[in-house]
Amino acid sequence: MPLTTETLTTTGTLATTETLATTETLTTTKPPRPGVPPRTPAPARPPAAVPPLAPGALPGLGHAAALLRDPLGFLGSLARHGGVVRIRLGPRTVCVVTDAALVHTLLVALAYDCPRGAVQDDLGG
């Protein structure tokens, strides 16, 4: 691409020719600052573990029948399978938190980061 203005060449001298046939692009890198370690890329996160699925799901209904039949007994039995357990409610998969420390973390420490009520809103209307 011909240039018709003054251009600084790679050697630092000023070229005032009317048209320059070729120019080289200069890239500059800043020297590292003393006392500051170079940046390293963040380590890759391990893939998130999927909570176990509670046993006893019926085809098409999932765990809805057990939940409707004995809600407290069903939810109380989920703690045997871990702190977070997946259940099926029809076509949806829902995670149930059964560990008291995790419930506290979700409701207090991460209160603004964890949406609440989405499942009830989706299932009810």
Side-chain angles (χ1 to χ4, degrees):
M1 166 175 161
L3 298 175
T4 57
T5 59
E6 296 179 0
T7 305
L8 187 62
T9 63
T10 57
T11 59
T13 60
L14 193 59
T16 57
T17 58
E18 184 168 326
T19 303
L20 293 176
T22 60
T23 58
E24 294 181 21
T25 305
L26 291 176
T27 57
T28 59
T29 58
K30 294 181 180 178
R33 294 184 298 180
V36 177
R39 288 188 180 179
T40 56
R45 286 184 172 182
V50 177
L53 182 65
L58 298 174
L61 292 175
H63 298 94
L67 183 62
L68 291 172
R69 184 174 45 248
D70 183 15
L72 292 177
F74 175 71
L75 293 174
S77 70
L78 294 177
R80 291 187 303 231
H81 305 291
V84 180
V85 181
R86 290 180 301 141
I87 62 171
R88 301 281 303 159
L89 297 176
R92 297 190 54 114
T93 299
V94 179
C95 290
V96 178
V97 181
T98 61
D99 182 42
L102 290 176
V103 171
H104 180 269
T105 301
L106 286 173
L107 296 179
V108 177
L110 301 174
Y112 295 106
D113 295 332
C114 296
R116 292 180 294 234
V119 172
Q120 292 85 355
D121 293 343
D122 288 347
L123 293 176

